[in-house]
Amino acid sequence: MALILLSGCTADGPAPPPPPATSTTPTAPPTLPEGLVGGPATGGIGITALLPTTGPTLFDADRGSVATPPGYPGGDVGMSVLRVGKSAVLIAYPAGTTDPLEAFVYTGPASPPRSLGHAWSVAPAVDGESVWVIRPDAPDACRLQRVSLSGGELGPGQPASCRTEVRAGTPHGLLITIDSGNTSSTDALIDPDTGRTVQQAPRILGVAGDWMLLDGLTELTLVDLRNNRHQQLSRPVIARTPTVVPSRDGGVWAVDFADPAYRSTSTQTRDLWLLHPDTPNWEHVAAMPFITEHLKRGGGFGWSDAGDLVLADGVLAAWHPGEPRWRLGKAALPTSTWSGFAVLP
């Protein structure tokens, strides 16, 4: 056996033929449109939005800026806006300080706002007529408080960490982030009257109606809050943590798998999908994905009362699920550093 093995290792023979030459042609990335593709609508798109410019701008999608409501902070104060029911709350961030923000209720195009006082965070309540705030009472003491849009505090409130971030009131509780801003932060759905935790997860993307969406390393998880049933969902695209905005009735969710560094470049892309949680099915929104310059400023998306998905990207645009294309507003949006908007009413 040894001779056989040795001869097998040392015998001369014809050299094996070289492996065939191979060539790999790199797959070209898909060519994405630059900007949102759509067309004008006969008679306009009928969308009016409040933009958190410094001072705020009431903006008609087809006519442009129609009013600058008086009485809001100016200068270098940063602004953001929340839709609360059919109204809006503007939030002023003092520049260059660690002071609390101040919340203001929008009262109309020609009237000054109503201040709701100072808070560390603000979120719409489920009734559409109030907000939840983390109210500072002392340098290291805060409370969770519900405040009516008329300005009155509702109930005594509950002691809370000043690092708690309120995110949204829902029929199943208040969505919050615990220890916001730290790597140890976690999300929870709580009973705001008692502080009892209803659900907790490292990252809750959104809660609306009877449904909660959780983020995961590779998949998403949909939770039916009526029976705590968990169902894993594959992401429709490979992307980082998406932004989720449910429709006003909670029946369909807009999920944006935006990428601020598409294929490791400086190119920004937006890629909106609809999630129907009761099915659950994904639906790709028309004209997605596309290249944009408005992920970080001059952009945002939300829903109208009529069930249109509304997108800010150079202009305001509206799309109703099932339509073949976006309806584009005629007026160019302001080019300042604002981001986000609230569709009115």
Side-chain angles (χ1 to χ4, degrees), residues 22-332:
T22 60
S23 62
T24 301
T25 302
T27 302
T31 301
L32 302 183
E34 296 195 14
L36 182 63
V37 176
T42 303
I45 68 171
I47 297 293
T48 301
L50 190 62
L51 310 182
T53 52
T54 307
T57 300
L58 188 64
F59 188 87
D60 183 283
D62 299 293
R63 295 186 293 141
S65 300
V66 293
T68 301
Y72 290 86
D76 57 357
V77 171
M79 300 289 289
S80 65
V81 64
L82 298 171
R83 184 184 57 80
V84 182
K86 295 189 176 183
S87 187
V89 170
L90 286 135
I91 299 167
Y93 298 86
T97 73
T98 56
D99 295 337
L101 54 84
E102 187 173 4
F104 298 91
V105 179
Y106 171 74
T107 61
S111 56
R114 180 183 304 113
S115 176
L116 298 180
H118 290 88
W120 288 114
S121 65
V122 183
V126 70
D127 64 358
E129 298 178 353
S130 61
V131 294
W132 289 100
V133 300
I134 298 295
R135 182 82 85 197
D137 286 332
D140 296 314
C142 292
R143 61 189 156 98
L144 171 65
Q145 180 70 58
R146 188 159 69 97
V147 181
S148 167
L149 295 186
S150 64
E153 294 188 344
L154 304 173
Q158 297 283 340
S161 166
C162 298
R163 297 195 65 87
T164 297
E165 177 189 357
V166 288
R167 291 172 52 191
T170 81
H172 291 270
L174 176 63
L175 179 59
I176 65 171
T177 294
I178 302 165
D179 204 18
S180 177
N182 287 344
T183 56
S184 60
S185 68
T186 187
D187 296 338
L189 190 64
I190 66 168
D191 179 339
D193 295 326
T194 65
R196 178 180 64 88
T197 298
V198 179
Q199 296 276 348
Q200 187 165 335
R203 181 65 173 140
I204 300 175
L205 295 175
V207 180
D210 294 321
W211 304 95
M212 177 171 66
L213 188 64
L214 309 180
D215 193 20
L217 292 177
T218 59
E219 295 183 315
L220 307 176
T221 300
L222 189 64
V223 182
D224 188 335
L225 294 170
R226 295 166 294 188
N227 54 24
N228 203 35
R229 182 174 63 88
H230 287 55
Q231 180 176 356
Q232 286 192 327
L233 299 178
S234 296
R235 296 169 185 255
V237 293
I238 299 173
R240 61 187 66 203
T241 299
T243 301
V244 177
V245 180
S247 61
R248 296 198 186 191
D249 63 3
V252 59
W253 298 19
V255 184
D256 187 15
F257 294 93
D259 190 344
Y262 179 66
R263 295 184 176 266
S264 301
T265 69
S266 60
T267 299
Q268 304 175 52
T269 60
R270 191 181 291 280
D271 193 3
L272 280 161
W273 292 74
L274 298 187
L275 173 63
H276 302 266
D278 57 344
T279 316
N281 285 327
W282 291 103
E283 176 186 354
H284 210 179
V285 173
M288 299 290 156
F290 69 96
I291 295 172
T292 179
E293 297 179 352
H294 300 292
L295 289 187
K296 298 178 181 178
R297 66 177 189 177
F301 63 101
W303 293 89
S304 74
D305 197 39
D308 286 343
L309 183 59
V310 180
L311 176 62
D313 200 279
V315 298
L316 285 178
W319 177 80
H320 200 83
E323 289 183 334
R325 65 174 186 168
W326 286 83
R327 292 168 277 127
L328 305 182
K330 299 174 183 177

